[in-house]
């Protein structure tokens, strides 16, 4: 039955090469450190799903933001769980992406032919941190307000364009309703779009180029030169 169904779809969609490339590709003998990219991916999916659910009740205005977050946490069925998963997932994503990057550095996996995977990875790390920065303001409590006041104030010390950057980030001289909607729009539309684009290229290349094998000592007769011999 399953075989028949599979053949029916294959005749109409020709999906076998895609399945073969994704699920049946050869990979070198690797270790647990190579699961850090997939762990980051899992947390990313968690952030997208729980983030979408949070937007159903969250209201991005200074009058309602704090109360809407309190409502999600205290009143809605499993609201505390969804918010908790999103809150802790944000930190986990930063830590896992950082560890994944360290693995890539220590294994030299950023070298030819994986430079584009590396650069899209750098973009993903920047996007991950921008998610954290913009998301922190959204509960609109004292901690969020003052952390963003300090965070945006840092932009002001940029030479020449500092004033301009501060006004772009805050949407004016001070933090206001404009800042909140600006951060919200960036958090739920701009950053996810950039993330999906970069992630698409990143994962395409992981499949297309293949995962690098763990580095081994060079197979050569020449002994390394040491100063004490
Ligand atoms: C949202 C963040 C990210 C996700 C979801 C992600 C996902 C993945 C996955 C699933 C793999 C294949 C498995 C593995 O090697 O662990 C991978 C490989 C790779 N990633 Fe990432 N990654 C992210 C961020 C980064 C960052 C920050 C860098 C470095 C700046 C990076 C550079 C690479 C490179 C060079 C490879 C190829 C590794 C190899 O062939 O051995 N990635 N990524």
């Amino acid at each position: 039955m399953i075989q028949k169904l599979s053949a029916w779809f294959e005749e109409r969609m020709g999906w076998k090469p895609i399945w073969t490339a994704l699920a049946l590709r050869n990979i070198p003998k690797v270790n647990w450190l190579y699961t850090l990219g997939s762990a980051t991916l899992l947390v990313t999916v968690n952030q997208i799903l729980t983030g979408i659910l949070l937007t159903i009740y969250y209201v991005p205005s200074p009058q309602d933001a704090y109360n809407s977050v309190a409502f999600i946490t205290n009143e809605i069925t499993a609201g505390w769980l969804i918010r908790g998963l999103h809150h802790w997932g944000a930190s986990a994503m930063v830590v896992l992406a950082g560890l994944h990057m360290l693995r890539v550095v220590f294994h030299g996996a950023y070298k030819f032919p994986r430079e584009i995977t590396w650069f899209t990875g750098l973009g993903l790390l920047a996007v991950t941190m921008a998610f954290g920065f913009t998301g922190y303001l959204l509960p609109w409590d004292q901690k969020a307000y003052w952390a963003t006041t300090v965070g945006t104030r840092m932009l002001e010390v940029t030479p020449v364009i500092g004033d301009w950057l501060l006004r772009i980030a805050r949407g004016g001289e001070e933090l206001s309703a404009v800042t909140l909607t600006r951060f919200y729009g960036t958090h739920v539309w701009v950053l996810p779009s950039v993330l999906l684009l970069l992630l698409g290229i990143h994962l395409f290349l992981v499949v297309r180029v293949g995962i690098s094998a763990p580095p081994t000592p060079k197979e050569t007769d020449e002994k390394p030169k040491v100063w004490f011999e």
Side-chain angles (χ1 to χ4, degrees), residues 152 155-156 158 161-170:
T152 49
L155 294 170
E156 205 183 9
T158 311
I161 53 166
D163 270 352
W164 180 74
L165 283 180
L166 179 89
R167 271 183 289 114
I168 293 284
R170 290 187 179 171

Side-chain angles (χ1 to χ4, degrees), residues 25-152:
R25 70 205 150 98
N26 291 325
I27 53 165
K29 194 171 162 31
V30 289
N31 57 43
W32 280 95
L33 294 174
Y34 285 75
T35 59
L36 285 165
S38 307
T40 317
L41 186 61
L42 182 77
V43 179
T44 307
V45 171
N46 169 69
Q47 292 309 96
I48 294 172
L49 295 180
T50 52
I52 290 173
L53 289 177
L54 287 173
T55 63
I56 293 174
Y57 283 100
Y58 176 77
V59 185
S61 82
Q63 290 79 27
D64 306 305
Y66 181 82
N67 290 333
S68 68
V69 172
F71 186 70
I72 291 170
T73 315
N74 303 321
E75 307 290 334
I76 296 180
T77 313
W80 59 272
L81 181 65
I82 304 292
R83 187 179 168 212
L85 282 170
H86 199 74
H87 178 94
W88 291 106
S91 302
M93 192 171 158
V94 174
V95 172
L96 287 169
L99 290 175
H100 168 56
M101 183 170 106
L102 282 181
R103 196 287 285 170
V104 166
V105 171
F106 283 124
H107 282 166
Y110 52 83
K111 295 179 196 169
F112 175 84
R114 295 184 178 77
E115 297 95 326
I116 305 176
T117 321
W118 167 260
F119 284 120
T120 50
L122 284 184
L124 284 169
L125 195 64
V127 167
T128 304
M129 294 203 271
F131 264 121
F133 184 58
T134 50
Y136 207 85
L137 179 67
L138 303 184
W140 200 253
D141 53 10
Q142 289 290 325
K143 203 166 67 162
Y145 186 91
W146 293 110
T148 307
T149 303
V150 175
T152 49

Side-chain angles (χ1 to χ4, degrees), residues 140-209:
W140 200 253
D141 53 10
Q142 289 290 325
K143 203 166 67 162
Y145 186 91
W146 293 110
T148 307
T149 303
V150 175
T152 49
R153 174 82 177 75
M154 286 178 193
L155 294 170
E156 205 183 9
V157 294
T158 311
V160 189
I161 53 166
D163 270 352
W164 180 74
L165 283 180
L166 179 89
R167 271 183 289 114
I168 293 284
R170 290 187 179 171
E173 295 298 329
E174 303 293 331
L175 252 68
S176 65
V178 183
T179 325
L180 184 56
T181 44
R182 197 162 277 211
F183 272 47
Y184 180 67
T186 308
H187 192 79
V188 304
W189 289 115
V190 181
L191 293 174
S193 311
V194 180
L195 177 102
L196 290 180
L197 178 73
L198 291 176
L199 198 55
I201 303 173
H202 198 74
L203 295 180
F204 170 76
L205 288 173
V206 166
V207 173
R208 186 88 176 112
V209 181

